Amino acid sequence: MSGISRRSFLKSTAVLVAGTIAAGKVFGANDRIGICVIGFNGQGGSHIKDILEKKDQAEIVALCDVDKRVLQRGVTLIKSKTGKEPKAYEDFREAVQDPNVHAVTIATPNHSHTVITVFACKAGKDVYVEKPLSHNIWEGTQVVEAAKKYGRIVQHGTQS
């Protein structure tokens, strides 16, 4: 298979999604990946831009940010670009439980990357997470173990 596949929709940002998603659903050629962007006042804005460019492969079904103003601004942007209003979450723990979310991107403050990644894996979501993934080896090991235990793909960004 040549070109961009369903498993590589974030263009230069990340490889994110596996063929099998939550609840054992196997994605077909006509299915799109439901994405939640968690944290987007900085680098996460690039995630939104890249995902919007892949409208035939993925769609932003939810946004999550602790800042209500940032969250509302993101919802307004997505609705203006797609005609669909994404669900809005202030708490990532609620966002990863959304059954319409198949994968998440994480661009929150650095200290929260590990815990959000582990929660997302446990909830059955594939993950793209910005650097740094962790602050020490133990945290990194927790991410690896969660990905293995829950059968998830975790892609770590390096922008190299």
Side-chain angles (χ1 to χ4, degrees):
M1 180 181 225
S2 63
I4 296 175
S5 72
R6 296 191 107 0
R7 295 180 180 104
S8 62
F9 64 89
L10 282 180
K11 199 173 183 176
S12 62
T13 306
V15 172
L16 197 204
V17 183
T20 305
I21 302 295
K25 180 178 179 182
V26 176
F27 273 66
N30 295 321
D31 291 323
R32 290 188 301 167
I33 313 301
I35 306 293
C36 177
V37 179
I38 303 175
F40 53 89
N41 200 33
Q43 183 63 24
S46 295
H47 298 187
I48 289 172
K49 179 182 171 285
D50 289 344
I51 295 165
L52 288 174
E53 290 176 3
K54 301 296 178 192
K55 62 186 174 211
D56 58 328
Q57 298 168 331
E59 68 178 314
I60 297 170
V61 297
L63 293 172
C64 181
D65 200 287
V66 297
D67 186 327
K68 290 179 184 180
R69 293 169 299 157
V70 171
L71 185 57
Q72 188 53 53
R73 190 171 64 234
V75 168
T76 301
L77 172 71
I78 300 303
K79 188 173 181 183
S80 73
K81 298 282 187 183
T82 68
K84 294 181 183 178
E85 186 169 319
K87 287 189 182 177
Y89 295 99
E90 291 178 44
D91 188 328
F92 75 87
R93 294 168 297 186
E94 294 174 9
V96 299
Q97 295 303 318
D98 185 332
N100 295 313
V101 172
H102 306 124
V104 300
T105 71
I106 302 168
T108 56
N110 297 347
H111 66 274
S112 61
H113 290 179
T114 298
V115 70
I116 297 172
T117 300
V118 170
F119 267 80
C121 287
K122 186 174 183 180
K125 313 307 181 195
D126 292 324
V127 178
Y128 171 77
V129 58
E130 287 292 343
K131 63 183 179 180
L133 171 65
S134 62
H135 288 292
N136 56 52
I137 294 171
W138 183 85
E139 284 183 359
T141 302
Q142 300 312 298
V143 170
V144 171
E145 292 305 314
K148 285 181 185 176
K149 181 176 182 178
Y150 300 108
R152 304 291 33 152
I153 290 176
V154 175
Q155 174 69 39
H156 175 239
T158 60
Q159 287 70 47
S160 293

